[in-house]
Amino acid sequence: MAKVMDIDGSLLEGGGQILRMSLCFSILCKKPIRVFNIRGGRKKPGLMAQHMKGIELLRDLCNARVRGIGLGSMEIEFHPGDIGRGKFVAHVQTAGSVSLLLQAALPVAIFGSGAITLDLKGGTNVDMAPQVDFMTEIFRPNMERFGATFDFDLFRRGYFPKGGGHCVAHINPVQSLSSVTLVDFGTINRCFGWSFVAGAVPIRVAKDLANGAKNLLNHVYRDQINIEEYKESVDMAPDNCSGIILGIETSSGVVMGGAALGNRNKAAFETGQEAANVVKTAVHLQACVDRHVQDMLIVLMALAEGRSRIRTEPLTMHTQTAIHVAELMTKARFRVVEQPNESVIIECDGIGYRNGHR
């Protein structure tokens, strides 16, 4: 019987990410784990509803044995089985992020024994997590560089505090992942985005969000900036919300972006600028991956065959945490090389993980 690996959930970022990453590698590397001090770095530590649903989803994906799932639980033990196929459901009754569920499950699902469908409910556009539009329009093209992807259907949006969003992801398995070299920024070919309002929020807020974004993006891109401004239908989004998702594509194939949600305590113009500033900062450093996708690629780099190299901004705490867990649980090795312009290149010799079902 394999020895259980202990992982301190309060290290570095000290939140839900170290739990998600640990479970992912536990399944893929067939290593049972005990995660203690779960979310020990948060004001309200322990499992919340969304974390419980995430654990249950990963449990179901691989028919794992789990001990310790419960609201407020500070410790779980997870004994993985084999990754299956078919439909798996995770319905968070709160506005817990479906993007974080997707982020946790995707690296596992791409190595399934057959096609996998993830039926997810919760918050689609909420604070402290990527908006689902960012996952499909910015993260997905970066994932596809490694040789894996997902299809996505959005049926209803869910906002804080009610949630109620509903989406379905379809994933076909891959044999392995390819290493990626993404260090040449190139020149910007296009700048695009979506600015939305929902519920009782007037359409002028979408215009103000877009104008704020364009105000900053004009410093890095002189041609037309195409930001679609729209109001969600009541059927798609009955509750109140506003937000913006931005992206750029370059001549070398870089796709990166920024996003922000409206806040009643902040002018929409400023919120638009806030999202655009993420892009502007990355462009200034000639980064090929923005700060929000940065940590999501670490698991893919660790699993890929060969050496990956990605130019990005200085590491976020989420990325430092992802690298820590990847090196702790696999034989992948990372190196961070500082560049003269203050960007960094993340190098990783991946483990060449192969799908045992194919």
Side-chain angles (χ1 to χ4, degrees):
M1 188 173 179
K3 183 182 178 183
V4 176
M5 175 182 283
D6 284 338
I7 296 170
D8 187 344
S10 68
L11 292 177
L12 296 168
E13 181 264 346
Q17 190 200 32
I18 197 166
L19 175 66
R20 289 188 294 272
M21 290 279 297
S22 299
L23 292 170
C24 172
F25 284 121
S26 170
I27 296 169
L28 294 171
C29 300
K30 294 288 183 70
K31 292 183 178 179
I33 58 172
R34 181 179 72 98
V35 186
F36 61 97
N37 289 337
I38 293 174
R39 300 182 67 250
R42 296 293 184 258
K43 286 183 180 178
K44 190 176 180 181
L47 296 177
M48 298 178 69
Q50 69 182 68
H51 306 109
M52 290 170 55
K53 288 298 178 185
I55 297 168
E56 290 168 355
L57 176 60
L58 292 171
R59 175 199 66 193
D60 295 345
L61 276 169
C62 71
N63 194 29
R65 290 186 295 110
V66 190
R67 288 204 301 263
I69 299 180
L71 274 176
S73 173
M74 295 285 289
E75 179 177 313
I76 66 159
E77 195 169 296
F78 189 91
H79 294 257
D82 294 328
I83 306 168
R85 66 173 73 189
K87 181 178 179 180
F88 300 90
V89 176
H91 292 175
V92 187
Q93 302 304 315
T94 66
S97 170
V98 297
S99 294
L100 293 181
L101 291 173
L102 195 60
Q103 190 177 322
L106 275 174
V108 174
I110 59 175
F111 292 109
S113 58
I116 285 177
T117 297
L118 302 174
D119 187 307
L120 309 174
K121 288 185 179 179
T124 59
N125 303 75
V126 291
D127 278 330
M128 308 300 290
Q131 298 185 52
V132 288
D133 316 76
F134 190 87
M135 294 293 291
T136 58
E137 306 308 315
I138 307 299
F139 168 70
R140 182 166 52 182
N142 283 282
M143 182 182 186
E144 287 171 348
R145 285 180 165 269
F146 290 86
T149 191
F150 59 95
D151 292 326
F152 190 84
D153 295 311
L154 180 63
F155 299 106
R156 181 183 169 102
R157 292 190 181 272
Y159 308 130
F160 181 83
K162 292 181 181 178
H166 183 203
C167 58
V168 174
H170 306 276
I171 304 103
N172 287 316
V174 299
Q175 177 67 56
S176 60
L177 297 176
S178 303
S179 57
V180 165
T181 298
L182 194 54
V183 295
D184 175 24
F185 181 80
T187 56
I188 300 175
N189 281 343
R190 74 183 187 108
C191 189
F192 58 94
W194 300 267
S195 177
F196 71 89
V197 294
V201 183
I203 190 66
R204 63 174 171 76
V205 172
K207 295 183 183 297
D208 288 345
L209 285 164
N211 288 336
K214 290 175 183 177
N215 181 259
L216 269 193
L217 291 176
N218 281 327
H219 293 283
V220 298
Y221 187 64
R222 299 295 183 184
D223 292 337
Q224 184 174 0
I225 298 170
N226 297 308
I227 301 177
E228 180 186 350
E229 303 160 5
Y230 68 98
K231 187 178 181 72
E232 292 282 7
S233 71
V234 175
D235 291 341
M236 175 62 78
D239 300 319
N240 297 341
C241 192
S242 64
I244 187 166
I245 298 92
L246 303 171
I248 62 167
E249 288 183 5
T250 79
S251 58
S252 62
V254 167
V255 178
M256 67 175 183
L261 287 172
N263 184 327
R264 65 181 62 184
N265 298 318
K266 183 186 293 184
F269 189 88
E270 289 180 35
T271 299
Q273 286 187 314
E274 177 188 317
N277 194 52
V278 175
V279 178
K280 182 185 174 186
T281 302
V283 171
H284 176 71
L285 294 182
Q286 297 287 281
C288 300
V289 170
D290 61 76
R291 70 187 71 157
H292 299 301
V293 167
Q294 187 188 95
D295 67 285
M296 291 190 263
L297 298 188
I298 296 302
V299 62
L300 303 178
M301 295 173 77
L303 296 171
E305 179 85 48
R307 176 172 292 184
S308 293
R309 301 177 71 241
I310 293 177
R311 183 189 297 273
T312 184
E313 299 177 69
L315 303 192
T316 65
M317 184 59 75
H318 276 91
T319 301
Q320 293 177 49
T321 303
I323 290 174
H324 169 76
V325 177
E327 291 193 328
L328 181 70
M329 298 193 67
T330 76
K331 292 182 179 179
R333 288 297 170 258
F334 288 82
R335 195 160 69 103
V336 179
V337 185
E338 295 184 2
Q339 302 299 296
N341 70 344
E342 297 184 3
S343 67
V344 302
I345 292 179
I346 305 175
E347 295 183 350
C348 174
D349 292 314
I351 63 174
Y353 186 88
R354 301 189 76 75
N355 190 338
H357 302 288
R358 294 174 66 79

